[in-house]
Each structure stands twice: as structure tokens, then as C-alpha cells.
Amino acid sequence: VLGLLVWTLIAGTEYFLHPAFGWVMFVAVFYWVLTVFFLIIYMTMTYTRIPQVPWTTVGLCFNGSAFILYLIAAIVDASSVTKELDSHNYNSWAASSFFAFVVTSCYAGNTYFSFISWRSRTLQ
């Protein structure tokens, strides 16, 4: 839900005039789609039908890459927010920057828990 907020807040503005927001949109939409994909896989327990895939490693790589790229996107988003004549863009960009950092912290926590799970699997 928070990732959805990031890209909808940016998509409602003239983000295409600022190339930095294009990067933020790419990261936000890409990881939102992948997160929904993995959510469906885990909710339907499809991962139990494909035991050849090392799901703990996949989860760690996914969450780790999401954390790193979302951190970069959040920093780019925050540094690109400028006060313009149109306050709608400013408010939306500032809110998207805040939520990008919230999503980054969520992925950081999930990366930590994925690492703990991955490490317990490799120690067995």
C-alpha cells in the first residue's frame, strides 16, 4: 500500500518534466508489481509446488535489492523536491518522498528478517 502511494503521488503530477522522478517512478512501480507477484505466490502457497527454487535466497535477494534501490530512489526523490509556483506538485512530491523513506525502512526490516531466515536455512 505504501509503495502504491509513492508512485500515485508522483504520477498525479508533471513528473515527466523532471528526469529524476522518472527513476523514482520506475523503482516504485517495478517493486510494487514484484511485491504483489510474490504476495500472490505466498498467499496461494505456490512456492510449495516448486521446491527446486531456493525461496529463502530469492526472498533475500529481492528484499535486499528493493532496499538498496528504494533507498537511492528516496534520496533522489527528496533531493528533487523543489518549491514551485504550483503547490500541488510540491505537496505531492514531498509526500511521495516521505512515503519512499517509509517503504525503504519496511524493505530494510524485511531484508533483515529474510537474512535471518536465509542464515538459519544455510546452517542446517
Side-chain angles (χ1 to χ4, degrees):
V1 172
L2 296 172
L4 179 68
L5 275 173
V6 172
W7 66 268
T8 55
L9 284 167
I10 293 175
T13 66
E14 292 83 27
Y15 71 92
F16 45 84
L17 300 176
H18 304 278
F21 290 117
W23 166 252
V24 178
M25 281 289 291
F26 169 74
V27 170
V29 172
F30 180 73
Y31 279 106
W32 183 80
V33 168
L34 281 179
T35 300
V36 169
F37 174 73
F38 281 120
L39 178 67
I40 291 169
I41 284 177
Y42 280 102
M43 286 183 69
T44 60
M45 297 184 65
T46 304
Y47 65 94
T48 59
R49 295 185 201 120
I50 313 170
Q52 302 88 337
V53 177
W55 289 105
T56 53
T57 306
V58 170
L60 178 62
C61 292
F62 168 72
N63 290 315
S65 66
F67 166 66
I68 290 169
L69 291 179
Y70 241 111
L71 180 63
I72 294 169
I75 292 170
V76 166
D77 193 4
S79 64
S80 300
V81 174
T82 57
K83 184 72 172 165
E84 294 184 346
L85 296 175
D86 183 14
S87 65
H88 171 71
N89 284 346
Y90 175 77
N91 292 336
S92 293
W93 292 340
S96 73
S97 175
F98 170 76
F99 284 114
F101 280 106
V102 172
V103 172
T104 300
S105 65
C106 290
Y107 277 120
N110 213 359
T111 301
Y112 172 74
F113 290 122
S114 293
F115 176 73
I116 297 298
S117 175
W118 174 80
R119 198 166 109 195
S120 70
R121 288 274 189 178
T122 57
L123 292 177
Q124 291 178 355

